[in-house]
Amino acid sequence: MLLTGTEGLKSLTEAYQAGYALPGFVAYNLETVQGIVAAAEASEGHPVLIQAGSSPFKHAGREPLMRLALDAAAHSPARLGVHLDHSRDLDEITACLAAGYTSVMVDGSHLPFAENIELTREAVRRARDHGAWVEAELGALAGDEDVSTNADATATAMTDPAQAGEFAAETGIDALAVAVGNVHGFTAHDVHLDLARLAAIHAAVPVPLVLHGASGLPTAELHGALTRGVAKVNVNAELRRAYLQAVASQLPSALPGSDAVSLWSAGRDAVAQAATRVIAQLTPQPA
Ligand code: 13P
């Protein structure tokens, strides 16, 4: 089922209060959507967010990917939200809200503080008209959303806890993405979350926190985040790698018969397995 904004926010709040997290999985095409949905269906009720766009729209087109994700969610027995990730564009946000997205992320992290507040406030205003919930970002992660660039966390603009409190109060957001040493994509650099900073942000901000760049993060670091207010965890590179590795290993046997279906199926199944592993890491942890 496709969660409404109200149901999606309730799921996020429940996770926040109980110390677990909803996964936000990035989807680019039919097979990645199918893999994410299969993992959600195997999870016995764990709510899952399909992050359809913004950057995947460049590959798939906005309308086709929106429709694909919303339709897949609506026709599944799993509890699925459809979420717009990292959007800087209010028109794009409005189009996704009008189509029925459960939630949107407005990304003003590249802007000066006051302008980030202004952009985020407007996104919140528009989302309220559609009953959707809003994630925003303060601080900025190193790395690229679609390609692993061996990002170094020293290039991160860390989130300031005091500013985060002010930002949440000024904008009325429902969730805040933070930069606490996390990076987008896989990296050979050591990644360690600044858990003391995360705890200070958690104390200053009255809404759930979001951890982007969770691919490759050690489980202990991830669980440290879940006990400090993180209730949504974004994963992309792990699914991309699983997809590509499966397709690469299937390719030699698929080529002689031009058997594209076996290739796409292998990619889809690998995404499902990778997403299932992530969901298991995010389920409620014993105290
Ligand atoms: P990773 O690719 O590092 O998992 O990051 C995903 C993400 O944060 C999407 O917004």
Side-chain angles (χ1 to χ4, degrees), residues 26 51 85-86 183-185 212-215 234-237 240:
V26 177
Q51 301 201 150
D85 193 25
H86 285 291
V183 300
H184 277 130
H212 284 236
S215 290
N234 282 11
V235 175
N236 182 350
R240 293 199 314 267

Side-chain angles (χ1 to χ4, degrees), residues 60-69:
R62 186 165 80 199
E63 202 63 27
L65 187 59
M66 273 190 339
R67 296 291 154 210
L68 171 62

Side-chain angles (χ1 to χ4, degrees), residues 1-14 22-23 40 45-50 69-70 72-83 96-97 99-103 130-133:
M1 63 177 281
L2 170 62
L3 297 174
T4 64
T6 307
E7 290 163 347
L9 185 57
K10 188 164 173 276
S11 299
L12 181 71
T13 307
E14 281 168 5
L22 311 191
H46 199 110
V48 168
L49 300 171
I50 305 171
L70 290 165
H75 289 92
S76 167
R79 296 164 68 201
L80 288 152
V82 178
H83 176 87
C96 290
L97 290 169
Y101 273 42
T102 310
S103 48
H130 295 271
W133 63 267

Side-chain angles (χ1 to χ4, degrees), residues 54-243:
S54 169
S55 81
F57 290 152
K58 286 188 278 203
H59 159 72
R62 186 165 80 199
E63 202 63 27
L65 187 59
M66 273 190 339
R67 296 291 154 210
L68 171 62
L70 290 165
D71 201 52
H75 289 92
S76 167
R79 296 164 68 201
L80 288 152
V82 178
H83 176 87
L84 176 65
D85 193 25
H86 285 291
S87 182
R88 299 178 172 190
D89 178 350
L90 287 168
D91 290 342
E92 179 178 72
I93 286 172
T94 304
C96 290
L97 290 169
Y101 273 42
T102 310
S103 48
V104 294
M105 177 196 187
V106 56
D107 184 355
S109 61
H110 57 295
L111 297 171
F113 186 60
E115 288 173 42
N116 190 357
I117 288 179
E118 200 179 324
L119 176 72
T120 301
R121 257 194 202 145
E122 179 56 20
V124 169
R125 195 188 65 71
R126 295 185 188 202
R128 294 294 173 256
D129 290 344
H130 295 271
W133 63 267
V134 176
E135 170 188 344
E137 179 166 330
L138 191 64
L141 263 63
D144 186 286
E145 288 155 44
D146 299 302
V147 185
S148 289
T149 55
N150 202 25
D152 185 350
T154 55
T156 297
M158 300 283 241
T159 306
D160 176 74
Q163 264 198 342
E166 186 185 343
F167 186 80
E170 289 290 324
T171 56
I173 49 167
D174 303 295
L176 180 68
V178 293
V180 290
N182 41 329
V183 300
H184 277 130
F186 290 117
T187 178
H189 297 278
D190 267 353
V191 176
H192 289 295
L193 301 182
D194 182 344
L195 292 175
R197 180 181 292 270
L198 187 60
I201 298 168
H202 179 34
V205 172
V207 295
L209 305 178
V210 181
L211 188 72
H212 284 236
S215 290
L217 202 61
T219 305
E221 301 254 341
L222 196 55
H223 288 169
L226 300 190
T227 57
R228 291 166 180 81
V230 167
K232 174 174 179 278
V233 171
N234 282 11
V235 175
N236 182 350
E238 273 183 36
L239 304 196
R240 293 199 314 267
R241 183 168 69 180
Y243 183 94

